[in-house]
Amino acid sequence: MESKGNLVTTKNLTKSTDTYIENDAAVLLKKLEQKERENKVLLSLSNAIASIRNKLNLFDVIDQKLKRLFEFDDFVICLINDDLETHSPFIYNRKEDFLKTAGIAPEASRKYTLDDGMCRAMIASEKPIVFNVEEVLTSDDAPAWLGFWHNKGIREMIGLKMVDRSGCIGFFYLYTKNTHSISNLYFDLLHGISLQISVAISNIIANDKIAQQLEEINIYKQKLEDENSYLQEQIQHQYNHSEIIGQSDSLKAIFHLIDHVATSDTTVLVLGETGTGKELIARAIHSASPRHHQLMVKINCATLPPSLAESELFGHEKGSFTGATDRRIGKFELAHNGTLFLDEIGELSLALQVKLLRALQEKEIERIGGSEVIKTNVRIVAATNRNLLKEVEKGNFRSDLYYRLNVFPISLPPLRERLDDIPHLASHFIGRISKKTGRLVTSIAKSALNKLMAYTWPGNIRELEHLIERSILLNQGEILKQVSLPKMERTASVNNGGEQRIKTIHENERDHILSVLVQCKGKISGLGGAAEMLNLPATTLNSKIKKFKIRREHILNK
Ligand SMILES: Nc1ncnc2c1ncn2[C@@H]1O[C@H](COP(=O)(O)OP(=O)(O)OP(=O)(O)O)[C@@H](O)[C@H]1O
């Protein structure tokens, strides 16, 4: 039998046990509710994380969703660098006014040692760690960046390592202005969330790598396309000396110069009126150089649109200016290890002359909007129909660039000064154009050739080529009989970069002798002969006629 006293005690016991049970149930319920809340947050977070593609997305998800659960003011995610000795900020608030505070603001390019007290503690712990900012600041190995957060009023940091299958990949710091703001009840949840964030980070890095590789593929694709079109062009025009027609002494002297300079990397400046074959010479130099397996990239400075000229030469990064939708490499990079042919260099703007000079001096370039310095190895061949020295005097061409280009000048004489080449060039063009047009023209009549010999050729070889093409199309039969030369005064302006050409004393002397010979109907010596009219001994006149290459046909065609 139970005594009364015992009964009371038992009752009391039962009562307090009930209270315990009630309390336990309440705690359990609270825990259950908390778990449910955590699960909800985790679920919504994992849904959001699954769709994350970039750093900005991840920043927003953490900033918005996580702040609903925990009270924190800011956060930074740092990743361990490939050197395994440092870590750098990866996800952080990039807003300008946020970063204005004094101290070392987070920046992706900065590297911090892993060998500080905070990192060591986080790496060793499986749980988040609470750091008191002021306490850490007094320690010897406080991280350099902590002052920035202290200046922002941050008093507490929760730090935890981020892990993936390979181990620790970085750290997640939550910054709070209040102390004890995040209860350690939430630390397991925080740990779970950090695992999810690690997955998102791996995805972002993989996406970034794919985007970068795609960009590289695109750039190589563009380079291959460009190279391909240059190669096609080179296949069509395999230039060597045998393609350069002519046997005049002046042309032979040029072959000699090409042989001398081609094998080196010396810069060559090809000078000459329009149509004299400057490009042909540039190609011959490239073909005979050790670089002939690489590209000769041509850039025509006269046709460069001013707004795109710099990009054409040096390339640009995506987004560097309106319309720069892709990264593009410039002609300098394309010509790497080969030859860059700068045609019509005299037309280059002064602003670009400065940039070109720098590229030639430093042997490196920067794409517009890029920070990378790109080493280039190009051989420069430039050409112009302008008198560059005069342009320097007029202030249109930089003297320093002129001297850098004028290392090995090659001057091509105009066609009227190498009349000997006309018959060879004419039959070369007849052969080529007949084949191209399917006409059966095989040779040129003497009278037609005489006309060609007597003409001044302001457009030089290009003009001769076009004239023969036109004449072949109009011709009947196998022999080219008619060539319709444009009506032109012999003293008329001869193309020299658009300037009125002043005849030399030598040319005036030739013209004067020729006109007297015409008046005397070709008679040189004796009464009424040209020698008498010119008051010269016949032998002197004969040697002048020889020197000026005046032929019978010149006299007859006047
Ligand atoms: N010696 C030559 N033998 C055969 N063809 C030639 C010769 N010189 C020039 N040509 C031809 O004449 C045309 C003009 O030559 P090219 O374009 O090289 O001249 P250019 O001096 O560079 O002219 P521009 O200053 O107008 O650019 C081309 O079709 C070229 O093949």
Side-chain angles (χ1 to χ4, degrees):
M1 273 282 284
E2 250 179 30
S3 70
K4 202 179 170 194
N6 275 347
L7 199 68
V8 171
T9 321
T10 314
K11 261 189 185 166
N12 282 344
L13 254 175
T14 318
K15 204 176 164 193
S16 64
T17 314
D18 282 353
T19 321
Y20 277 135
I21 290 170
E22 266 171 31
N23 284 346
D24 277 358
V27 169
L28 272 173
L29 203 68
K30 218 173 158 197
K31 272 195 171 170
L32 217 72
E33 277 169 10
Q34 185 193 323
K35 273 275 168 240
E36 218 166 276
R37 226 172 117 207
E38 289 174 2
N39 282 342
K40 259 192 187 163
V41 173
L42 264 180
L43 193 68
S44 110
L45 208 67
S46 40
N47 284 341
I49 280 173
S51 60
I52 280 172
R53 287 283 165 270
N54 56 43
K55 290 181 190 181
L56 206 66
N57 286 160
L58 183 57
F59 179 86
D60 288 345
V61 167
I62 297 176
D63 198 47
Q64 287 155 23
K65 297 221 182 281
L66 216 59
K67 268 192 182 158
R68 271 194 232 147
L69 188 64
F70 306 128
E71 275 175 33
F72 61 94
D73 295 286
D74 278 297
F75 71 94
V76 170
I77 293 176
C78 286
L79 290 189
I80 296 178
N81 295 312
D82 289 342
D83 58 19
L84 299 180
E85 286 178 355
T86 60
H87 63 303
S88 301
F90 184 68
I91 309 272
Y92 52 93
N93 190 342
R94 288 165 192 260
K95 288 183 194 115
E96 226 173 274
D97 31 324
F98 170 82
L99 297 170
K100 259 184 197 155
T101 310
I104 302 173
E107 197 185 308
S109 59
R110 292 187 196 274
K111 290 184 172 186
Y112 304 108
T113 178
L114 286 177
D115 194 19
D116 68 30
M118 283 176 57
C119 289
R120 280 196 298 272
M122 286 184 289
I123 291 170
S125 169
E126 294 308 317
K127 295 218 176 258
I129 300 179
V130 181
F131 298 100
N132 181 294
V133 172
E134 271 163 11
E135 263 172 37
V136 179
L137 274 176
T138 57
S139 69
D140 290 342
D141 59 356
W145 45 263
L146 198 54
F148 169 83
W149 294 104
H150 188 254
N151 293 339
K152 273 207 173 296
I154 298 298
R155 293 295 168 260
E156 195 169 86
M157 293 181 292
I158 319 290
L160 66 155
K161 67 181 173 196
M162 315 268 313
V163 287
D164 72 2
R165 269 172 297 172
S166 63
C168 177
I169 57 161
F171 308 103
F172 186 12
Y173 299 99
L174 295 161
Y175 300 104
T176 64
K177 288 186 173 157
N178 303 321
T179 48
H180 311 297
S181 57
I182 302 178
S183 154
N184 56 7
L185 274 177
Y186 286 115
F187 281 7
D188 278 346
L189 176 63
L190 201 54
H191 180 69
I193 290 168
S194 83
L195 290 176
Q196 304 242 21
I197 294 174
S198 297
V199 175
I201 288 176
S202 302
N203 288 341
I204 291 172
I205 293 173
N207 272 339
D208 283 356
K209 266 200 185 132
I210 291 171
Q212 194 188 332
Q213 281 164 354
L214 269 176
E215 187 135 339
E216 275 164 18
I217 290 171
N218 274 339
I219 228 173
Y220 279 111
K221 193 172 146 235
Q222 186 228 326
K223 192 170 179 206
L224 283 177
E225 278 168 8
D226 284 357
E227 278 186 1
N228 189 31
S229 61
Y230 276 102
L231 286 172
Q232 297 282 358
E233 199 183 306
Q234 275 177 13
I235 290 165
Q236 280 173 21
H237 307 282
Q238 256 318 323
Y239 291 91
N240 50 46
H241 295 197
S242 66
E243 291 292 319
I244 304 175
I245 307 300
Q247 290 174 9
S248 59
D249 289 345
S250 48
L251 202 60
K252 281 183 193 152
I254 283 161
F255 288 152
H256 193 64
L257 291 176
I258 295 176
D259 288 340
H260 265 78
V261 79
T263 49
S264 68
D265 273 347
T266 306
T267 300
V268 180
L269 181 62
V270 191
L271 303 156
E273 290 178 11
T274 184
T276 43
K278 296 185 292 297
E279 183 169 347
L280 211 58
I281 299 297
R283 291 198 182 276
I285 293 171
H286 175 72
S287 301
S289 78
R291 295 170 178 256
H292 69 275
H293 290 304
Q294 306 290 334
L295 293 182
M296 180 179 113
V297 176
K298 174 183 162 180
I299 189 151
N300 188 330
C301 305
T303 56
L304 280 177
S307 55
L308 295 177
E310 189 181 348
S311 154
E312 279 288 303
L313 277 172
F314 307 116
H316 64 247
E317 294 293 336
K318 188 174 173 178
S320 51
F321 53 86
T322 323
T325 48
D326 280 311
R327 180 199 263 183
R328 230 188 131 79
I329 60 163
K331 299 279 196 269
F332 252 93
E333 260 184 273
L334 192 63
H336 184 58
N337 290 332
T339 303
L340 184 63
F341 174 45
L342 298 164
D343 200 8
E344 316 245 18
I345 187 79
E347 314 305 313
L348 202 64
S349 71
L350 279 164
L352 268 186
Q353 288 175 29
V354 180
K355 292 185 174 149
L356 175 64
L357 181 69
R358 198 176 317 132
L360 298 183
Q361 277 169 343
E362 316 287 328
K363 294 190 177 6
E364 54 189 33
I365 54 140
E366 270 175 50
R367 296 189 195 120
I368 304 175
S371 50
E372 195 190 346
V373 173
I374 300 155
K375 290 250 166 249
T376 54
N377 169 14
V378 290
R379 198 251 179 102
I380 302 288
V381 178
T384 181
N385 56 20
R386 284 189 183 266
N387 181 335
L388 274 194
L389 209 52
K390 267 199 185 146
E391 297 302 317
V392 170
E393 279 163 20
K394 284 195 236 162
N396 295 334
F397 204 82
R398 291 183 64 101
S399 59
D400 41 11
L401 180 59
Y402 170 72
Y403 289 114
R404 188 156 272 275
L405 294 173
N406 193 35
V407 184
F408 193 98
I410 297 183
S411 290
L412 299 185
L415 187 54
R416 66 186 164 278
E417 285 177 21
R418 41 174 162 145
L419 296 173
D420 293 2
D421 288 340
I422 292 183
H424 302 285
L425 283 164
S427 53
H428 167 74
F429 291 135
I430 287 172
R432 212 172 76 190
I433 296 160
S434 304
K435 211 164 145 195
K436 190 177 94 181
T437 55
R439 304 288 171 124
L440 292 172
V441 181
T442 52
S443 58
I444 181 163
K446 195 135 185 22
S447 57
L449 190 61
N450 286 343
K451 270 181 146 184
L452 298 184
M453 300 287 280
Y455 181 60
T456 48
W457 299 109
N460 292 291
I461 302 166
R462 182 181 293 111
E463 189 184 6
L464 174 64
E465 188 179 358
H466 291 168
L467 178 99
I468 295 207
E469 176 152 9
R470 225 170 29 243
S471 307
I472 285 181
L473 292 174
L474 297 171
N475 191 67
Q476 303 280 336
E478 283 186 21
I479 299 169
L480 185 63
K481 293 192 193 96
Q482 290 294 328
V483 283
S484 48
L485 284 158
K487 292 260 171 294
M488 195 174 185
E489 283 286 310
R490 281 191 67 82
T491 50
S493 95
V494 168
N495 183 309
N496 194 2
E499 288 170 9
Q500 187 82 19
R501 206 178 77 85
I502 295 166
K503 286 206 286 179
T504 62
I505 292 174
H506 183 88
E507 284 168 321
N508 272 320
E509 192 184 0
R510 182 188 187 274
D511 284 359
H512 184 54
I513 293 172
L514 185 61
S515 70
V516 174
L517 280 168
V518 172
Q519 273 184 48
C520 305
K521 299 200 169 58
K523 186 169 185 239
I524 295 173
S525 54
L527 247 157
E532 188 197 42
M533 286 181 77
L534 288 162
N535 199 16
L536 284 174
T539 46
T540 310
L541 180 58
N542 265 322
S543 64
K544 280 190 185 284
I545 290 172
K546 218 168 157 193
K547 181 177 134 199
F548 290 131
K549 296 186 174 130
I550 298 174
R551 302 221 182 105
R552 211 176 144 65
E553 54 265 27
H554 296 144
I555 302 164
L556 296 178
N557 276 304
K558 276 292 258 184

